[in-house]
């Protein structure tokens, strides 16, 4: 059987120098308390519990009165006992603090290094209610992302959830550069003030001319200004919410269907975009000649022309599909995934959204 000493010697090398010092300090303090306990028993002829109590209050510097009056020998021993024990305790506490500070520093450096190595990722400015939903959906789609936030409480939340983040103000150029905006695929600015979103959009467009920028606006009247600032698309959550509420009243069954589609699980229906890639079985074919519906049990709702961006709703069976076209399809998750094996990969599998040919119309 391996002895305890051998196990300790085998385990200690796996620790850092600071961790070994903390471990040895704790072990020494336990030994020192035992040493002090039995020393008081021998020197002062106290009961064992009194010796343990005296050793404890001496090392912890609690400052309670002595259990019994000490002899001269007991006082000399107490000075020696406290000098050695408190010194070792202070040394161990300093090492614990050093480990905590070092761990925080290492974590920050590791996070910064990971962000520097990111390519084709998305930068989300703001982690409020909308930001949380955007981050959750992007992560579910397997997208790389970095959240910019300056609220300490939210930063702690991001750390606990393991979401890559950069602490700082999104309106500062250095913060965007530290988030890797020059190598990013998209910038999503969800800050509550339109003026700030305009400035972040201007800054993002200046730092990366090819960036896909999705901006939030609180007022539809500011949509044009965000487009002029360089936003690729602009979304007004309040307007979308109002439209959705009206649809619930006017077309409840349609709203229920869309809710089912947008929140479908693996066994339900989903609506997705697929790109017709070179060599696809659909390239140069019609929906009828390719027997698309029969093979995949999926409905093509819209065809987006790959060259002009024009949308052809409810395409006919004899309409030719070309390479580069985007199909908006409705079907099961398994069937949509199966399209990828035939040269029709979901847009989410690509590194970013397709270019918008007429951003002002959004």
């Amino acid at each position: 059987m391996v002895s305890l000493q051998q196990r300790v010697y085998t385990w200690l090398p796996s620790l850092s120098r600071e961790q070994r010092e903390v471990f040895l300090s704790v072990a020494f303090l336990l030994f020192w308390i035992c040493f002090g306990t039995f020393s008081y028993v021998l020197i002062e002829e106290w009961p064992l519990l009194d010796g343990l109590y005296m050793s404890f209050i001496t090392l912890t510097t609690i400052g309670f009165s002595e259990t019994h009056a000490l002899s001269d020998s007991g006082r000399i021993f107490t000075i020696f006992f406290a000098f050695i024990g408190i010194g070792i305790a202070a040394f161990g506490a300093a090492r614990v603090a050093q480990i905590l500070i070092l761990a925080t520093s290492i974590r920050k450096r590791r996070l910064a290094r990971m962000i520097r190595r990111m390519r084709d990722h998305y930068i989300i400015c703001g982690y409020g209610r909308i930001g949380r939903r955007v981050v959750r959906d992007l992560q579910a789609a397997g997208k790389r992302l970095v959240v910019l936030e300056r609220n300490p409480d939210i930063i702690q939340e991001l750390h606990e959830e393991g979401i890559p983040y950069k602490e700082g103000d999104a309106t500062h150029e250095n913060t965007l550069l530290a988030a890797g905006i020059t190598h990013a695929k998209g910038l999503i600015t969800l800050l509550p003030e339109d003026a700030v979103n305009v400035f972040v959009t201007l800054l993002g467009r200046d730092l990366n001319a090819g960036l896909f920028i999705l901006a939030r606006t609180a007022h539809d009247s500011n949509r044009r200004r965000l487009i002029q600032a360089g936003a690729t698309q602009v979304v007004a959550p309040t307007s979308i919410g109002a439209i959705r509420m009206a649809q619930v009243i006017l077309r409840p069954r349609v709203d229920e269907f869309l809710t089912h589609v947008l929140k479908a699980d693996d066994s339900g229906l989903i609506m997705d975009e697929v790109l017709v890639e070179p060599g696809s079985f659909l390239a140069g074919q019609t929906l009828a000649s390719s027997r698309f519906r029969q093979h995949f049990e999926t409905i093509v709702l819209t065809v987006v022309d790959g060259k002009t961006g024009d949308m052809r709703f409810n395409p006919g069976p004899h309409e030719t599909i070309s390479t580069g076209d985007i199909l908006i399809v409705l079907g099961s998750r398994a069937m949509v995934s199966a399209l990828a094996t035939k040269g029709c990969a979901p847009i989410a599998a690509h590194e970013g959204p397709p270019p918008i040919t007429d951003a002002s119309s959004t």
Side-chain angles (χ1 to χ4, degrees):
M1 181 178 292
V2 180
S3 66
L4 178 61
Q5 182 181 15
Q6 289 176 321
R7 290 181 180 178
V8 171
Y9 283 140
T10 302
W11 178 60
L12 283 178
S14 64
L15 303 177
S16 66
R17 180 174 62 86
E18 291 81 6
Q19 290 173 328
R20 286 197 298 270
E21 290 174 348
V22 170
F23 173 80
L24 293 175
S25 298
V26 172
F28 177 82
L29 288 175
L30 293 175
F31 160 76
W32 202 239
I33 288 177
C34 294
F35 173 74
T37 300
F38 287 106
S39 296
Y40 281 118
V41 170
L42 294 176
I43 295 173
E44 301 291 343
E45 297 182 352
W46 289 353
L48 191 65
L49 181 59
D50 288 346
L52 175 61
Y53 178 75
M54 187 66 185
S55 299
F56 179 78
I57 64 173
T58 301
L59 280 184
T60 55
T61 65
I62 291 177
F64 292 160
S65 61
E66 299 168 357
T67 307
H68 304 286
L70 288 170
S71 64
D72 291 341
S73 298
R75 290 176 179 176
I76 293 174
F77 171 77
T78 300
I79 293 172
F80 166 76
F81 179 76
F83 181 79
I84 299 296
I86 295 173
I88 294 297
F91 175 80
R95 282 294 181 262
V96 170
Q98 183 179 357
I99 290 173
L100 294 176
I101 295 173
L102 183 62
T104 301
S105 177
I106 291 175
R107 175 175 57 81
K108 289 183 176 179
R109 288 202 301 268
R110 184 179 300 163
L111 180 61
R113 184 167 60 249
M114 180 185 70
I115 293 174
R116 285 198 303 269
R117 293 176 179 176
M118 279 189 181
R119 296 295 184 271
D120 297 325
H121 58 288
Y122 290 87
I123 300 174
I124 294 92
C125 303
Y127 195 66
R129 288 176 299 176
I130 297 177
R132 285 176 171 81
R133 178 57 189 265
V134 170
V135 168
R136 186 167 69 248
D137 289 349
L138 288 179
Q139 286 186 321
K143 297 295 183 181
R144 297 177 291 273
L145 58 89
V146 177
V147 175
L148 295 186
E149 185 56 63
R150 60 182 182 180
N151 186 316
D153 295 333
I154 296 180
I155 289 171
Q156 180 62 29
E157 180 184 343
L158 290 167
H159 168 64
E160 292 174 356
E161 294 179 359
I163 298 173
Y165 68 90
K166 177 64 182 176
E167 182 177 0
D169 194 331
T171 61
H172 293 170
E173 180 176 335
N174 290 338
T175 303
L176 290 174
L177 289 173
I181 194 169
T182 55
H183 303 292
K185 176 63 66 174
L187 173 67
I188 305 173
T189 173
L190 303 171
L191 302 172
E193 299 179 8
D194 285 359
V196 179
N197 285 325
V198 168
F199 186 81
V200 173
T201 299
L202 283 168
L203 193 56
R205 183 61 67 202
D206 180 61
L207 295 173
N208 187 341
L211 197 65
F212 177 89
I213 301 179
L214 175 63
R216 168 192 176 181
T217 180
H219 306 284
D220 260 340
S221 58
N222 292 329
R223 183 186 298 270
R224 178 177 56 84
R225 295 179 177 85
L226 281 161
I227 293 295
Q228 291 175 342
T232 312
Q233 288 189 338
V234 179
V235 174
T238 53
S239 296
I240 293 176
I243 293 172
R244 175 68 182 276
M245 292 175 72
Q247 294 306 311
V248 171
I249 299 298
L250 300 174
R251 303 174 183 87
R253 298 295 178 267
V254 173
D255 179 78
E256 183 179 352
F257 169 74
L258 290 176
T259 300
H260 174 74
V261 168
L262 294 177
K263 294 185 177 180
D265 55 19
D266 290 340
S267 61
L269 295 176
I270 64 168
M271 192 181 299
D272 208 344
E273 306 175 18
V274 297
L275 175 68
V276 180
E277 300 174 319
S280 168
F281 79 105
L282 265 177
Q285 299 287 327
T286 65
L287 293 175
S289 62
S290 64
R291 299 178 61 83
F292 181 87
R293 179 72 181 275
Q294 290 82 353
H295 286 302
F296 296 100
E297 297 180 358
T298 301
I299 302 171
V300 178
L301 302 176
T302 304
V303 177
V304 182
D305 192 288
K307 296 179 180 178
T308 65
D310 294 336
M311 289 189 175
R312 305 193 296 274
F313 297 97
N314 192 23
H318 302 294
E319 190 164 345
T320 302
I321 307 298
S322 304
T323 300
D325 286 351
I326 296 172
L327 309 182
I328 299 179
V329 299
L330 175 66
S332 68
R333 190 177 298 275
M335 287 293 111
V336 173
S337 299
L339 286 171
T341 64
K342 298 294 185 178
C344 294
I347 296 296
H350 293 263
E351 291 300 326
I356 304 298
T357 55
D358 183 11
S360 62
S361 65
T362 59

